[in-house]
Amino acid sequence: MIELADILSYDITWKKPKGRQIVLAASNASNLHGCCVKKDKGMVTISNTYGYIRVSTKEQNEGRQLIALREAAVPEENLFVDKQSGKDFERPQYKRLLRKLKKDDVLYVKSIDRLGRNYGEILEQWWLLTKEKGVDIVVLDMPLLDTRRGKDLMGTFLSDIVLQILSFVAENERTNIRQRQAEGIAAARARGVRLGRPPRPLPENYRSVYRRWKAGAISGTAAAKECGMPLSTFRYRAEIYEKEKLL
């Protein structure tokens, strides 16, 4: 019997010797702790299973994605997690994953927008993974996007169409979210709501320094220095102070 370790001593594909029966420890297409062993036309192909997770900020929790990938039997050591924005592809774990992926490996993601934050980037990464590297992709939230199925021309064609539609929908939703955020901020400002961090308290001597500066007794630079703040900050706080006095 040839064990998995014996097969791994060969290249990715291993051809059956003449007159000898290959018997694997598992079936002809089995998952062996992150590996998938396939037999096709006398060739044994060994592929690895990987999972990629991305959350936009360090505060967001990757738990839902982790659960989904674990349920798909992706080994812990083959999970790659990035906690930062996907606005570009400067993502260390994603780059590590790309270096590991080889032909016939399988990559699981929970949703299509884990590959990118806009239509163009998703398509670019999909092309890189499936066409250039020869990797299969499984999108758990959309079973139609499973490149292991339908390897013929029609299957590939349908998969590409679904990909383009879903990528467009994902980008359109993000655009709508940004628009709603902008509208909410504008409405809040119109109501007089002050956004962002609350300003630091004014120093105790600010009012007296402000009055001397306003009277022309000292320069703005000298006034800012007495208050321990940059000149631009002093002037900005002076504008706010004057408005508050008028209320």
Side-chain angles (χ1 to χ4, degrees), residues 102-145:
K102 64 181 184 299
K103 190 177 186 306
D104 294 321
D105 283 346
V106 181
L107 173 62
Y108 284 85
V109 291
K110 188 172 190 305
S111 58
I112 190 63
D113 59 358
R114 298 306 86 192
L115 294 179
R117 294 296 300 272
N118 61 58
Y119 178 74
E121 285 179 350
I122 292 172
L123 293 181
E124 179 185 356
Q125 295 306 306
W126 187 276
W127 179 271
L128 169 66
L129 292 165
T130 61
K131 311 298 184 185
E132 295 186 17
K133 296 186 76 69
V135 173
D136 279 319
I137 301 177
V138 180
V139 181
L140 296 174
D141 282 355
M142 180 51 63
L144 284 174
L145 287 179

Side-chain angles (χ1 to χ4, degrees), residues 51-69:
Y52 179 67
I53 294 169
R54 178 180 59 77
V55 290
S56 297
T57 66
K58 291 183 179 179
E59 287 74 27
Q60 289 184 340
N61 192 299
E62 68 275 18
R64 289 188 302 112
Q65 295 180 62
L66 273 172
I67 291 171
L69 295 183

